[in-house]
């Protein structure tokens, strides 16, 4: 469920009797300014009161975040909700509402609905809120929506104006099983959407990196998809091909196997939420060597970026290419970026992401004159073109038991990637390092399960 405002699309999570809760869009700047330029509204916030000019930048920032949500009444933003994952499926809740909308039950209605949504759609286990003990209205609100006081922390956070002065804070919390006991449902209509973890994974795959993550060796890699997909092939040929094309392999992607598996799982679960009710055709310019592996196995071998807008020049940065036309029947799990993200980096590409290990039937077709106007990195035309018919009723999942057994081979991966980037031939690599890396990739692929009937991907 989306709403369009100009060129921006607002993703709606749910609606209550009087309110709508969804993503921010840049066009919310004026409404946001009415809230954040009020010193009384921002008195207990950790940030200083905004200027109207700064709210233009803030609206853009919030529109790209997966931690902030807009509360709207009749299309006007009246408040914002902060919801951020901490650990062990625990999320921190925060909220800010315009002065004109306080005391009317809007905060309790929207936040109560947000808890209902988070517990039912995102399977959140526990939600906490840190509240300044002087903020009596926020304390009353937390208790009204069913949260209980767990602790009082003395001198927890500094005053934003006087850093030498610290304030006491209450810790309020609520568990999923406590909230679901409530008989009255607040949400009137809801849109099953991406969880914060799924949203982050989709944006990360797309290369949408936040400022806070730019210095992180994992989350700061705007082209992490190169390594994420290379890990899913069963040999070293794809690593060498990517290196010859001038692309960087990032060893940090496999430095933390549980994190890597969670990322793959989040992408797969996001794809399940993108299942379409109609057949779809999408296009890809592919490396001939990579496609040969897929053709031999009869399945996609990695996450596959395609476009509904034809064969795009942006996909022609490869050597020795083939043209692929994917026919995805209704029910195929996939990620349509424009449907799941209110904005994204490559919106002009109309991108569709297919999961790995989808089985297909292939039919080779003659190259047309238009096909031969597409060139690879060396200005060579495609060597072939295929229609790929994805088989119906397929679903890919991850086996967490196999994932937990993945070894830590980061030093080996770092050394191998450095040697591959230096174009050291495969037969000159250390045999033990090569064997350990290939075994790791095999174990990683074994974490993926194919349904109908359930089988392990080898």
């Amino acid at each position: 469920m989306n709403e369009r405002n100009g060129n921006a699309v607002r993703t709606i999570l749910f609606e209550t009797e009087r309110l709508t809760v969804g993503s921010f869009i840049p066009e919310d700047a004026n409404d946001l300014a009415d809230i954040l330029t009020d010193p009384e509204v921002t008195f207990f916030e950790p940030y200083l009161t905004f200027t109207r000019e700064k709210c233009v930048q803030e609206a853009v920032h919030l529109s790209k975040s997966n931690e902030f949500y807009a509360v709207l009444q009749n299309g006007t933003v009246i408040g914002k909700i902060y919801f951020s994952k901490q650990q062990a499926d625990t999320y921190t809740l925060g909220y800010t509402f315009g002065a004109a909308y306080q005391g009317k039950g809007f905060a309790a209605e929207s936040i109560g609905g947000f808890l209902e949504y988070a517990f039912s759609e995102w399977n959140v286990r526990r939600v906490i809120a840190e509240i300044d003990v002087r903020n009596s209205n926020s304390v009353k609100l937390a208790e009204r929506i069913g949260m209980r006081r767990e602790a009082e922390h003395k001198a927890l956070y500094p005053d934003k104006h006087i850093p030498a002065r610290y304030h006491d804070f209450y810790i309020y919390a609520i568990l999923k099983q406590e909230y679901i006991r409530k008989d009255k449902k607040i949400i009137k209509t809801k849109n099953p959407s991406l969880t914060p973890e799924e949203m982050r994974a989709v944006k990360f795959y797309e290369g949408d990196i936040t400022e806070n993550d730019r210095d992180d060796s994992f989350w700061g890699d705007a082209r992490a998809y190169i390594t994420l997909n290379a890990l899913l092939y069963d040999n070293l040929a794809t690593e060498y091909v990517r290196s010859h094309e001038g692309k960087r392999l990032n060893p940090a992607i496999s430095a933390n196997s549980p994190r890597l598996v969670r990322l793959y799982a989040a992408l797969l679960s996001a794809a399940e939420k993108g299942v379409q009710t109609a057949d779809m055709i999408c296009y890809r310019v592919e490396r001939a060597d990579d496609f040969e592996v897929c053709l031999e196995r009869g399945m996609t071998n990695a996450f596959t970026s395609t476009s509904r807008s034809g064969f795009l020049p942006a996909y022609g940065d490869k050597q020795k290419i083939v043209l692929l036309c994917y026919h995805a029947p209704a029910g195929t799990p996939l990620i349509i970026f424009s449907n799941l993200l209110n904005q994204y980096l490559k919106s002009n590409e109309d991108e569709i992401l297919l999961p790995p290990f989808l089985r297909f039937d292939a039919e080779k077709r003659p190259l047309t004159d238009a096909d031969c106007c597409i060139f690879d990195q060396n200005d060579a035309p495609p060597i072939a073109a295929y229609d790929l018919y994805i088989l119906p009723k397929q679903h890919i999942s991850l086996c967490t038991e196999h994932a937990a057994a993945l070894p830590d081979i980061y030093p080996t991966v770092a050394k191998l990637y450095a040697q591959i980037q230096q174009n050291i031939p495969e037969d000159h690599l250390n045999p033990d390092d090569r064997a350990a890396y290939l075994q790791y990739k095999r174990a990683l692929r074994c974490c993926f399960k194919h349904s109908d009937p359930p089988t392990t991907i080898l």
Side-chain angles (χ1 to χ4, degrees), residues 370-389:
D371 292 338
C372 294
C373 292
I374 299 173
F375 300 99
D376 70 4
Q377 199 176 60
N378 298 321
D379 293 327
I383 65 171
Y386 288 83
D387 282 301
L388 305 180
Y389 297 91

Side-chain angles (χ1 to χ4, degrees), residues 392-409:
K393 299 181 179 179
Q394 297 186 75
H395 299 277
I396 312 299
S397 60
L398 273 168
C399 176
T400 55
E401 292 181 3
H402 288 169
L406 286 170
D408 178 11
I409 62 165

